[in-house]
Amino acid sequence: MIRYRLGAGAAGVRWAMSPIHEVVSLAQLLTEPQRHPLFHSWLRRRRLRLSPADLRALTVFMADGAYRPDFLDPSPMSSEPTFEEGMDALRAAPADQTYAELVDATTGRGADIRRRLLENPDRARSEAADALRRLWKTVVEAEWPSMRQALRAEMLDRALQVNREGLRAVLPRLHPSAACEGDTVTVEKSVDIDVDCPEGLILIPSLFITDRIQCTTSSHWTPAIYYPASGRYLWSAPPTPRSLDRLLGVTRARILAALTTPLQTTVVARLVNVTPPTASEHLAILRDAGLIDSSRSGRTATHELTKAGQALLDAASPQS
């Protein structure tokens, strides 16, 4: 079990997102796609753009059950850091941290892998960083505005829950292995570690982890817990009530259901299998009806439900 000792209860907890973590977790996902059927259609489109050799310096750390070095995944310094800020922190990881974590990461691995990574730790870290950047540029960067919106919504929702109900009530909802007793957050793991958190504990939602919780315990970073986020509709559209299909038409009903997570026009188009211009036409109709709001940053438009849109979706959904 990992025990994070806060000292100040929920006041010692903050929420953040981490673009660099999303890229690292995507690399992990690419090594084991059979465990993540949710992403299959998305992966089929994206994997063709990178070969295994392009990512080998990163995926070498993704062996099943192996320790993944914490320096690959530095804790965010702010609630919404950029990818470049994460890369700066990765490259600035102290040499002693890099070497010690590589030793742990190569324990039980083949002699060739262990020798190659340990003979030049700075090179191993630099090559992994280069692979991370390739994956970011090729796959994630264009998706990040919609991913960021989904993560923002998750962070706000969870923070409101903690303010209303307390950390003890909310933590098990993030993952069944997490709990809070007094000033200590615990996570069920095979290791037994006590971690002091003088600068608090960071709770980080992740869109690319679905069935596990990940923890950092390195003294070089603020301790962090990564947990599966909502926002799954970034990857596949949810089912829509048949009554809503009849009222709005199938395509507009699917768009409305998908916008429980704020999304960009291109993401909406992909989810409902139409062209971006066609998606824009349907979005305009929903906006004119007062069911969605749209905001623009440069050439990028992001869409989300209004209260009226949410009320309509709730009214049409079967009550459990």
Side-chain angles (χ1 to χ4, degrees), residues 168-180:
R168 181 176 181 178
V170 174
L171 268 177
R173 298 178 200 162
L174 307 185
H175 194 271
S177 67
C180 181

Side-chain angles (χ1 to χ4, degrees), residues 62-129:
M62 310 298 180
D64 188 33
Y67 163 70
R68 194 171 75 195
D70 284 347
F71 69 74
L72 289 175
D73 201 357
S75 299
M77 299 295 291
S78 63
S79 61
E80 293 192 27
T82 65
F83 175 76
E84 292 303 330
E85 287 171 337
M87 289 291 287
D88 289 344
L90 187 162
R91 293 186 183 279
D96 60 338
Q97 175 194 0
T98 301
Y99 182 78
E101 291 179 0
L102 286 175
V103 169
D104 289 342
T106 56
T107 298
R109 306 292 297 276
D112 289 344
I113 291 177
R114 187 173 178 86
R115 181 172 57 254
R116 176 164 54 85
L117 293 176
L118 294 182
E119 69 181 5
N120 193 332
D122 287 342
R123 183 184 63 196
R125 181 182 58 193
S126 179
E127 290 177 348

Side-chain angles (χ1 to χ4, degrees), residues 221-268:
W221 313 122
T222 302
I225 295 175
Y226 299 86
Y227 69 91
S230 55
R232 300 290 185 243
Y233 300 158
L234 287 168
W235 323 117
S236 59
T240 57
R242 293 186 64 185
S243 59
L244 204 59
D245 288 348
R246 293 195 295 268
L247 177 66
L248 300 176
V250 173
T251 300
R252 284 194 285 276
R254 293 183 69 198
I255 290 173
L256 197 72
L259 289 180
T260 51
T261 292
L263 299 173
Q264 290 180 269
T265 305
T266 54
V267 178
V268 170

Side-chain angles (χ1 to χ4, degrees), residues 10-11 13 15 155-167 170:
V13 169
W15 303 83
M155 289 161 53
L156 177 60
D157 185 48
R158 296 300 187 182
L160 290 173
Q161 289 176 24
V162 169
N163 288 338
R164 185 171 60 246
E165 304 172 54
L167 187 63
V170 174

